[in-house]
Amino acid sequence: MPITNILLAFLFALGFLAFFLPISVWTKKLLDLEVAQPIVALLMFGVAVGLLGVKTAGVGFVYLALAAFCLWAFAFGFLADRKYPYTLALVFLGACPFLLIAKLDQIAEFSAVLCYLCLVLGVLKDLFYDKLVD
Amino acid sequence: MTNWWTRKPIGHKSSRVVLIPLLMCLTLVVAPVTAQTSVEYYNGLFNSWGIRTYILPSQKIDQPATKEDLKNLFDLISGKAEPTTQPKEVTQTALEEDRYLLMLESQKAEAQKLQEMGSIPTYQKIILISKTYPQDFYLNQSSASAKLLADLEPKIINTKTYYTIPEVYLTTPELQTQTANYFKAVGKAEQAVTAKSKDTSTTTANQLLAKLKESSLLESAVYAGVILLIFVACYRLFTVLVHNPARLMRKDLYQQLLARTVWFISKHHAILLFGFILLALFYIPILYALSIKAKLLGTPAYVVNYITTTLNPLTMSNYLTSQNIFRLGFMFYNYVLAVLALILLLPGLCKVTAISNHKFSSVNFKASFIKWSIPGVVLCTIILLVFLPVDSLIGLLALAIILMAGLVWYIHARKLAYAQLFTVKEKRILFGLLTLGLALNIAWPVFQKSRPVKYAYEPLIGIKDDVVMLPYSKKWGQNVLFDEHYYTGGSLIFADGYLIYAPDTTKIVNKPLKEFESDGNLATTAKTAITFVVKDTKKAMEALLKKPALVDYFKTTEFSPVFRLANTDSDALYDKNLSLSLTFNCAKNPAPAIVKLETISLNRWAGGQGDQDQQTGQDENDKQNQTTNQGVLDALETQSTEVLNFPGCEQKLVPETLQVPLDAFLLPEGRPLVRLRGMDTKNLIDAKLYADGQKVPLTFINARILDETTYTLIYQSPATSLSTITTESVTDLKATTENVKNSATSKPKEITAYSTEVKRETVFDLTQPTANNQPSDTYPPYLLGESAPQGFDISSPINILMKQGRLNNPFIIWSDKPNEIIKTKD
């Protein structure tokens, strides 16, 4: 029986359900303390983080740090002026032929991937920014 | 709006430009890496004991030793010299260098040559290291100490002092300690005499200075100086701590500190950038030199490998010990460059972080996005958790958690009434879906177990190369089996530790190594087809100790660092004078090292007592205790002792043999396994054990059992390569297929394969029906010598092992012959 899977599923569900339960009333009665629903939800996710860390012998925290960085970078790029990702894409694209001429094939390939990612970011921003942000 | 990272720090005074000293030098001379000779090792050893020594060859000096002195020296080496005078009082002459001449007995020829050149300096004291092993030497504490002191006593010949030390006193760890204590005492005694005799010749100022060094006034001044230094360095911190400690808890202090740093860097950005560019320019000639070396070596990845290994901080100790100054300099150059780059990037990083914080705090997401993103992520995660294990979902889970945390924090910061965004119908649907997801999480694994597993089939040899050779590593996914793969060769084929195919064989029985049973008759066993495969050294040693009959199959005539006593138990040696002789290979001039003797025996508390139990018999209770204890405790007991301080080779290319006394009680009772450690086995050529001067026969165990990186076929009986075995004879190798068909007693053979990797007995029946589906009690054509175009399907035994979960992931398919072809274009 995959206990970890079940526990994680319950924690995620509880994190969502915390918004629909009168948590602050219960905590006020029990602990004489008003705890906001989002805090309880965050607590559930915190326990999920702990469980993940235990299950993965600490490597999970590295995954979390990297995920946080990636999300931050994506969100920052998404919220930045649309000219920035497109300008970066042009810079990386322009660097490719020079790197290829200098026989730095691997760096040229990396630059091409960066150009692609910047273009994707720019397109996503153009398509979804108005739908997601007021 | 000015931000805190652009404002001038509060209270800042105009500062002088501080020029950061830049590292401009690179030592390009690569210090040659050499191993020490034994005399260099001893030189270092005596110097560490406070005895200043010099070694041959020496520089030509003005006052070479006299011929008479040299004659005395050579006579002493050859054992002819007798002390002419007894030491009454050692009078110290005022020599500029009060050093000992240190030489090996074997350097006599060298010394004679140097004598002719006049290059042996004047000496008052000489230390000779003799190769002679002292007779009747017991390692027992009291007698060894007395004998050592007697041997170390110097001889005085014509006012010159000669110490003759047997090399064993320097190579045996225990005796080296006692010798060290002796010479440290000699060194201190000489200093006392020298200091006393120099008293009258020193000036008053020097006397006072010498007194000051040991006075409490200097000590107090040092303490006061250190406190002042620390206070001055951390003045600001102490000011805050003393006058306003609460400020340490406030954010603005750290913001100000960071602001000062950022402002300073911004102000001197031009200089820092100039320095960085200048340092970075050095990379051009470095990369050019490395690329040339890469071309010479023919290794394109040399440049990248060189840089990555040099930057690895864990390798710094290697470079320090080998005195590789270039690598060390290159490493620190790179670190300085990296630190400068970080310093230059810091203001920009702070700016970007602040801007992103501002953007995140001022963004307003649409209510519909917030409303549906959270349940969407939660439901997707729950559904994925039903079907996939956590190990393969870690990245996604981490992303989901961070996303959820961010969205929840947004709701909390904006004080949104999240629940009110949903209608009643939407809530019911969401709760229903959540309940379904959670129920699936619980029920699905139960349902899966009750269903027969549906396997997916994939090719066994998945790569598209025209020719594939063994060994082959195969990685597999969950619930995967392999398509048919026919093998037509004539070698033994293994999958991990399991034998899965042998030519002309009807049945293969794979058993754990520790279940080996033998009637002790090697000749009979040779007629049966058996193989031994080892990967786990510990299990192999456990099996050797529990089943001594295995030693006959694991032994080797060549030297091996693992051995045992051949004909006797350790108990018989306890009252004998033991010594261990080791021969070292000096072809590669190995560095000094400490050789350890490790004894491996069965752990009594784990219940394993090997052949002793077999002899005395066990009752049911003992057997039960054995099985319960073995699960908890280590089956083997290991003890390691340092036995020899290898000083390095005396001469390159000439094997070096050193003999050291051995405490017989180091060897546990019975016949333990002994392993020599602390040195690369390539540097050891031979090991001999002597008891009271008589050589003790040793059985060397095949050193390949120590290799845990690959599976090793330690033994393969001759019968495994025979096409048939008759019950009458195994010598008639020319038995025809007609004989095989007609003989009632002859049949293709069965093989028993023992392995450390097999946990339970596994039997493979290799008889396969032919295309016409003949009954299985008639032998297929390929077993009867006729050609079989298809060969044998090696996937079927592999699939059996896969279903039982016996194979690793990835598992290795390998053969007893090197470069066996498993797949060809045809």
Side-chain angles (χ1 to χ4, degrees):
Chain A
M1 192 68 126
I3 301 289
T4 316
N5 288 45
I6 295 168
L7 280 172
L8 281 170
F10 268 91
L11 284 166
F12 270 84
L14 283 170
F16 175 63
L17 289 172
F19 288 102
F20 302 91
L21 301 169
I23 303 256
S24 51
V25 173
W26 294 344
T27 53
K28 182 84 178 160
K29 273 185 189 168
L30 286 169
L31 305 168
D32 201 23
L33 189 72
E34 262 194 59
V35 179
Q37 289 161 329
I39 301 296
V40 175
L42 282 174
L43 198 66
M44 293 296 127
F45 294 128
V47 174
V49 165
L51 186 62
L52 202 66
V54 166
K55 175 74 180 169
T56 57
V59 177
F61 297 116
V62 178
Y63 276 87
L64 280 163
L66 289 172
F69 175 70
C70 289
L71 269 174
W72 172 85
F74 176 78
F76 184 55
F78 190 81
L79 296 173
D81 191 330
R82 61 190 290 277
K83 286 182 192 164
Y84 287 112
Y86 288 127
T87 309
L88 274 171
L90 276 174
V91 166
F92 289 128
L93 185 67
C96 286
F98 295 104
L99 291 167
L100 286 169
I101 290 166
K103 302 234 186 287
L104 296 169
D105 295 340
Q106 281 186 329
I107 301 176
E109 195 180 318
F110 191 70
S111 177
V113 171
L114 289 173
C115 169
Y116 164 75
L117 289 172
C118 289
L119 283 173
V120 166
L121 185 64
V123 167
L124 283 173
K125 185 183 166 74
D126 284 342
L127 288 176
F128 294 108
Y129 187 84
D130 292 328
K131 290 179 184 166
L132 297 178
V133 180
D134 268 335
Chain B
M1 180 182 84
T2 56
N3 298 306
W4 60 265
W5 67 85
T6 54
R7 278 198 305 262
K8 264 193 187 178
I10 297 166
H12 169 78
K13 295 177 189 171
S14 57
S15 63
R16 286 164 290 187
V17 171
V18 176
L19 285 176
I20 299 171
L22 302 173
L23 286 176
M24 304 289 287
C25 319
L26 260 179
T27 310
L28 292 175
V29 175
V30 176
V33 177
T34 55
Q36 281 179 317
T37 58
S38 52
V39 72
E40 286 166 355
Y41 171 79
Y42 295 133
N43 187 32
L45 202 60
F46 278 95
N47 280 320
S48 71
W49 298 341
I51 302 292
R52 297 172 70 207
T53 52
Y54 53 73
I55 57 175
L56 301 173
S58 303
Q59 293 166 356
K60 196 163 184 218
I61 59 157
D62 296 329
Q63 283 184 322
T66 63
K67 280 189 181 171
E68 192 190 339
D69 284 338
L70 287 168
K71 183 183 172 303
N72 289 332
L73 171 62
F74 295 140
D75 285 345
L76 191 71
I77 290 170
S78 46
K80 294 177 195 169
E82 289 294 330
T84 53
T85 55
Q86 290 298 323
K88 286 178 191 175
E89 189 185 316
V90 179
T91 52
Q92 292 288 330
T93 54
L95 296 173
E96 285 183 12
E97 285 190 272
D98 191 17
R99 280 186 167 188
Y100 289 74
L101 175 63
L102 173 68
M103 57 183 271
L104 305 174
E105 203 171 57
S106 55
Q107 286 182 301
K108 181 179 173 180
E110 199 181 332
Q112 278 173 332
K113 258 189 219 167
L114 291 168
Q115 176 207 347
E116 287 155 20
M117 287 162 51
S119 289
I120 293 188
T122 312
Y123 57 85
Q124 284 296 120
K125 292 166 277 194
I126 177 166
I127 298 173
L128 269 174
I129 297 174
S130 159
K131 279 278 187 193
T132 312
Y133 187 80
Q135 295 303 317
D136 299 328
F137 189 81
Y138 285 84
L139 206 52
N140 171 270
Q141 187 68 20
S142 55
S143 59
S145 300
K147 186 163 172 49
L148 184 140
L149 286 172
D151 285 344
L152 289 180
E153 200 170 322
K155 296 176 178 61
I156 308 289
I157 305 171
N158 284 347
T159 71
K160 309 274 190 225
T161 309
Y162 296 87
Y163 290 89
T164 311
I165 306 175
E167 194 172 25
V168 66
Y169 290 170
L170 298 172
T171 54
T172 310
E174 198 182 320
L175 299 177
Q176 191 192 91
T177 311
Q178 294 180 37
T179 310
N181 292 339
Y182 177 87
F183 277 101
K184 280 177 189 171
V186 166
K188 281 183 185 169
E190 285 179 351
Q191 279 175 11
V193 173
T194 311
K196 196 177 168 185
S197 67
K198 281 184 181 171
D199 265 344
T200 53
S201 62
T202 53
T203 62
T204 313
N206 287 341
Q207 282 177 3
L208 285 172
L209 273 172
K211 239 179 161 180
L212 180 67
K213 265 192 219 173
E214 289 153 22
S215 69
S216 53
L217 181 65
L218 180 67
E219 202 177 332
S220 309
V222 167
Y223 287 136
V226 167
I227 291 170
L228 182 67
L229 205 64
I230 291 172
F231 182 74
V232 165
C234 307
Y235 171 70
R236 285 181 194 275
L237 176 64
F238 282 123
T239 313
V240 170
L241 268 173
V242 167
H243 293 294
N244 196 3
R247 203 170 160 221
L248 284 173
M249 297 297 154
R250 296 213 301 261
K251 197 170 62 172
D252 67 309
L253 173 73
Y254 302 101
Q255 275 184 342
Q256 197 188 11
L257 277 172
L258 189 58
R260 284 170 68 92
T261 313
V262 171
W263 183 88
F264 175 83
I265 294 168
S266 305
K267 193 177 173 198
H268 301 103
H269 189 264
I271 292 174
L272 289 169
L273 187 63
F274 174 74
F276 175 78
I277 291 171
L278 202 61
L279 276 178
L281 284 175
F282 276 106
Y283 243 103
I284 298 173
I286 290 171
L287 283 175
Y288 181 69
L290 287 174
S291 63
I292 289 177
K293 189 149 185 197
K295 273 185 194 158
L296 288 170
L297 292 172
T299 322
Y302 177 78
V303 177
V304 173
N305 289 342
Y306 186 92
I307 293 174
T308 48
T309 52
T310 307
L311 293 180
N312 186 356
L314 297 172
T315 54
M316 192 162 71
S317 55
N318 296 342
Y319 304 143
L320 281 167
T321 48
S322 61
Q323 297 174 357
N324 196 338
I325 297 172
F326 177 73
R327 284 262 198 173
L328 282 170
F330 187 56
M331 180 198 264
F332 284 110
Y333 161 75
N334 276 286
Y335 287 158
V336 166
L337 208 62
V339 166
L340 264 180
L342 276 171
I343 289 172
L344 284 170
L345 289 172
L346 187 63
L349 275 172
C350 291
K351 212 178 267 189
V352 164
T353 311
I355 291 170
S356 71
N357 284 346
H358 174 68
K359 280 195 181 296
F360 293 149
S361 57
S362 61
V363 71
N364 280 317
F365 289 111
K366 289 198 170 161
S368 56
F369 170 65
I370 297 293
K371 179 180 167 184
W372 293 112
S373 56
I374 296 179
V377 171
V378 167
L379 280 169
C380 282
T381 311
I382 289 174
I383 298 299
L384 284 169
L385 283 168
V386 171
F387 301 107
L388 295 168
V390 170
D391 293 341
S392 52
L393 279 178
I394 297 176
L396 207 67
L397 284 171
L399 210 61
I401 289 170
I402 298 293
L403 191 60
M404 299 301 295
L407 290 168
V408 169
W409 187 256
Y410 177 86
I411 292 169
H412 179 62
R414 301 300 161 91
K415 293 185 176 22
L416 292 175
Y418 184 68
Q420 290 168 13
L421 292 173
F422 295 91
T423 62
V424 172
K425 191 178 171 187
E426 284 167 349
K427 281 183 197 174
R428 281 185 190 154
I429 292 169
L430 281 172
F431 294 160
L433 285 171
L434 271 177
T435 311
L436 184 66
L438 292 173
L440 262 178
N441 260 286
I442 296 168
W444 183 256
V446 176
F447 176 67
Q448 275 286 85
K449 270 191 181 169
S450 62
R451 283 180 61 200
V453 180
K454 200 174 176 186
Y455 291 103
Y457 282 82
E458 63 182 49
L460 180 64
I461 309 294
I463 57 177
K464 299 205 182 341
D465 293 3
D466 290 341
V467 178
V468 178
M469 288 186 184
L470 295 180
Y472 179 77
S473 174
K474 178 68 184 177
K475 199 166 180 181
W476 46 275
Q478 218 177 8
N479 297 334
V480 158
L481 292 177
F482 304 109
D483 291 328
E484 290 168 347
H485 187 92
Y486 292 96
Y487 171 70
T488 54
S491 304
L492 303 178
I493 303 293
F494 297 84
D496 280 348
Y498 291 84
L499 178 64
I500 58 171
Y501 171 74
D504 305 319
T505 305
T506 54
K507 190 171 160 188
I508 295 174
V509 180
N510 284 283
K511 284 186 174 182
L513 184 62
K514 58 186 180 185
E515 288 181 15
F516 172 71
E517 296 293 344
S518 164
D519 60 358
N521 189 340
L522 201 59
T524 310
T525 316
K527 293 181 187 174
T528 58
I530 56 168
T531 61
F532 293 106
V533 168
V534 166
K535 187 168 188 270
D536 190 323
T537 306
K538 221 169 159 183
K539 284 184 185 167
M541 288 185 174
E542 187 187 340
L544 282 168
L545 289 166
K546 285 184 176 170
K547 307 278 179 181
L550 276 172
V551 174
D552 289 330
Y553 303 98
F554 280 63
K555 68 183 178 188
T556 173
T557 51
E558 296 169 353
F559 166 73
S560 161
V562 182
F563 54 87
R564 76 201 289 252
L565 299 172
N567 303 330
T568 177
D569 284 357
S570 311
D571 317 37
L573 301 176
Y574 285 163
D575 60 347
K576 291 195 180 359
N577 175 19
L578 282 192
S579 65
L580 178 69
S581 167
L582 295 174
T583 306
F584 297 89
N585 179 8
C586 290
K588 291 189 181 173
N589 203 11
I594 299 175
V595 178
K596 294 177 193 171
L597 189 101
E598 189 178 270
T599 57
I600 303 122
S601 54
L602 289 170
N603 189 349
R604 289 166 191 264
W605 301 107
Q609 293 189 21
D611 46 350
Q612 290 179 356
D613 287 330
Q614 286 179 359
Q615 288 166 9
T616 57
Q618 285 177 292
D619 61 14
E620 281 303 313
N621 285 339
D622 282 343
K623 282 181 186 169
Q624 272 189 345
N625 286 340
Q626 210 170 14
T627 47
T628 49
N629 285 342
Q630 271 172 353
V632 175
L633 295 171
D634 199 354
L636 299 177
E637 195 177 318
T638 308
Q639 283 176 346
S640 183
T641 314
E642 293 176 2
V643 290
L644 187 140
N645 291 335
F646 176 63
C649 291
E650 205 175 299
Q651 295 174 52
K652 211 175 168 181
L653 301 176
V654 177
E656 178 97 8
T657 300
L658 294 167
Q659 193 170 353
V660 288
L662 200 63
D663 186 354
F665 289 96
L666 282 178
L667 303 172
E669 287 174 359
R671 295 227 205 140
L673 289 170
V674 179
R675 183 176 173 183
L676 295 170
R677 301 193 85 151
M679 205 155 184
D680 192 342
T681 48
K682 289 174 204 164
N683 292 328
L684 273 170
I685 296 175
D686 197 12
K688 291 189 180 77
L689 192 66
Y690 294 94
D692 287 341
Q694 299 296 319
K695 192 173 163 187
V696 177
L698 300 174
T699 303
F700 294 106
I701 306 295
N702 195 329
R704 290 163 68 206
I705 67 166
L706 300 174
D707 184 3
E708 290 195 318
T709 57
T710 59
Y711 297 95
T712 310
L713 182 62
I714 291 285
Y715 177 82
Q716 179 183 356
S717 67
T720 55
S721 54
L722 294 176
S723 57
T724 63
I725 298 175
T726 67
T727 54
E728 302 292 325
S729 161
V730 295
T731 56
D732 187 6
L733 297 176
K734 294 177 186 173
T736 62
T737 53
E738 203 58 38
N739 288 342
V740 169
K741 278 181 192 172
N742 295 333
S743 168
T745 56
S746 66
K747 58 177 186 233
K749 62 186 182 297
E750 294 179 6
I751 294 182
T752 308
Y754 295 94
S755 170
T756 55
E757 305 309 299
V758 172
K759 291 185 180 56
R760 271 197 334 260
E761 183 174 308
T762 309
V763 179
F764 295 125
D765 186 349
L766 302 195
T767 54
Q768 290 179 3
T770 63
N772 297 329
N773 282 327
Q774 289 179 8
S776 60
D777 59 353
T778 58
Y779 296 104
Y782 74 92
L783 284 177
L784 300 174
E786 292 178 23
S787 64
Q790 272 190 314
F792 177 75
D793 175 23
I794 58 171
S795 294
S796 28
I798 288 176
N799 287 340
I800 293 171
L801 292 171
M802 289 283 289
K803 285 178 187 173
Q804 293 172 359
R806 305 278 190 94
L807 294 177
N808 296 321
N809 189 6
F811 65 88
I812 311 286
I813 307 172
W814 56 285
S815 162
D816 60 326
K817 293 188 183 65
N819 300 334
E820 182 67 18
I821 294 173
I822 191 72
K823 177 190 166 190
T824 60
K825 201 174 175 182
D826 305 325

